[in-house]
Amino acid sequence: MTAHLSHTPPAAGGPLSSSFEPRKVPAGEALRNACRYEWRHLTALRSTWVLLSVVAALSLLTGPGLLFDLDRTRAMSAASIGDVLAWAPMTTQIPMLCFLVLILGTGPVSTDLVRGAARTTWLAVNGPRTAYAAKSVVGFLVGAGVAATSAVVGGVSAAVVLAVAGAPQPSWSAVLVPVLRFVLWMGCWALLCMALVALMRNRTLPVVVLCLWPLLGERLVGLLLGYVPGLDGVGEWLPFAAGRAMLTDASAFTGDERSLAEAMVGSDLSAPVALVVFLLYTAALTAAGYWAYVRREAPTG
């Protein structure tokens, strides 16, 4: 004969009662858990690894690309090498790497807001504030990490090609400064992508804005502001004008190269000042995205 099993709940104040009380998670631990959540989500996507493979392949082509315009009689300047490693930001208005990181940068927030998964995410990472903070931290580190890896791979490729071609090597230690500015730019770029998605509650529109505004919109606005008395110099302080001056220090070039750099950059700000201005723009837009993400809930459908 089998006896019936019964369960008697522990008496109040008993030794097991405390185990049923929820543990208050410290803010630091909650943020670390949220960052791990975002990192696992990002690395689980096949598109992430496809994009990183494309970035690696294009970075390896940096060295062979130097052969099209290589002067074997003199070493390339650190500014020129830095510009090459940043994938010619002067000609595309933003580094070409930005077009690839757009997908990584817009993904974390758009997945939550567009597909109605925000509530699930917030529960998993201890609320919307922690969720957005984790997306910001992981996004910045991924953008900066991709840029740093691309610069290292491209630098090694360039050094090998220059050695094989018998051309003099540039001062690689001096290249570190423009490369560090490029790494900061890409980290900020990931934050800008994420913040615009949070503000616009859409993924496609921010991509269009971030592709067209630096190339056409901002140039046009700066031109129009030049006709307004007292605002003729404001165009130099616009976000991506400052960003171009941050990436490409026109004063480091000489001769015709300097004239071309000044014309393409479109800002007379020094690189350090431009760096601070671009960081302030990024911080302001990231804060606005934080407000929008915390205040608005995702659609239930």
Side-chain angles (χ1 to χ4, degrees):
M1 183 174 181
T2 304
H4 293 286
L5 299 177
S6 62
H7 171 70
T8 303
L16 297 179
S17 61
S18 61
S19 63
F20 292 90
E21 296 177 1
R23 182 174 72 93
K24 185 177 181 180
V25 181
E29 182 181 347
L31 180 60
R32 288 194 298 271
N33 293 336
C35 289
R36 283 196 292 266
Y37 178 93
E38 292 296 334
W39 175 251
R40 290 174 182 174
H41 173 74
L42 187 64
T43 55
L45 298 174
R46 182 181 300 175
S47 59
T48 300
W49 300 106
V50 172
L51 283 172
L52 294 180
S53 299
V54 172
V55 170
L58 292 176
S59 299
L60 285 172
L61 294 176
T62 299
L66 294 177
L67 296 175
F68 292 101
D69 188 25
L70 180 63
D71 185 356
R72 292 179 172 81
T73 61
R74 61 186 181 91
M76 294 183 66
S77 66
S80 298
I81 287 292
D83 192 55
V84 169
L85 295 180
W87 296 1
M90 290 189 299
T91 56
T92 58
Q93 306 301 300
I94 56 175
M96 291 182 64
L97 187 59
C98 289
F99 295 106
L100 298 175
V101 178
L102 268 173
I103 300 175
L104 298 180
T106 57
V109 173
S110 64
T111 300
D112 287 357
L113 297 181
V114 175
R115 298 182 182 178
R119 291 188 181 91
T120 302
T121 301
W122 298 350
L123 289 173
V125 299
N126 203 32
R129 291 176 175 81
T130 305
Y132 190 85
K135 294 176 191 298
S136 299
V137 171
V138 174
F140 180 88
L141 293 178
V142 168
V146 169
T149 303
S150 172
V152 169
V153 174
V156 172
S157 173
V160 170
V161 168
L162 291 175
V164 171
Q169 297 284 342
S171 175
W172 288 105
S173 59
V175 178
L176 289 177
V177 175
V179 165
L180 285 176
R181 294 200 302 265
F182 172 55
V183 170
L184 278 175
W185 163 285
M186 290 306 305
C188 291
W189 176 260
L191 294 178
L192 294 174
C193 296
M194 181 189 67
L196 280 181
V197 173
L199 287 168
M200 298 181 179
R201 296 176 60 82
N202 184 278
R203 185 173 187 173
T204 304
L205 186 57
V207 170
V208 174
V209 170
L210 288 171
C211 287
L212 295 182
W213 174 258
L215 181 61
L216 298 175
E218 194 173 87
R219 290 282 193 176
L220 180 59
V221 170
L223 181 64
L224 294 176
L225 288 174
Y227 292 101
V228 180
L231 297 180
D232 53 332
V234 174
E236 299 180 1
W237 296 82
L238 293 176
F240 290 102
R244 289 189 297 270
M246 161 190 165
L247 280 171
T248 303
D249 186 2
S251 64
F253 292 88
T254 58
D256 294 338
E257 288 184 345
R258 180 167 183 172
S259 300
L260 177 62
E262 290 176 343
M264 296 303 297
V265 168
S267 175
D268 292 333
L269 297 179
S270 64
V273 173
L275 170 61
V276 173
V277 172
F278 190 71
L279 290 178
L280 289 176
Y281 274 117
T282 302
L285 194 59
T286 303
Y290 169 82
W291 176 86
Y293 187 83
V294 171
R295 291 290 297 271
R296 301 174 184 175
E297 291 188 350
T300 56

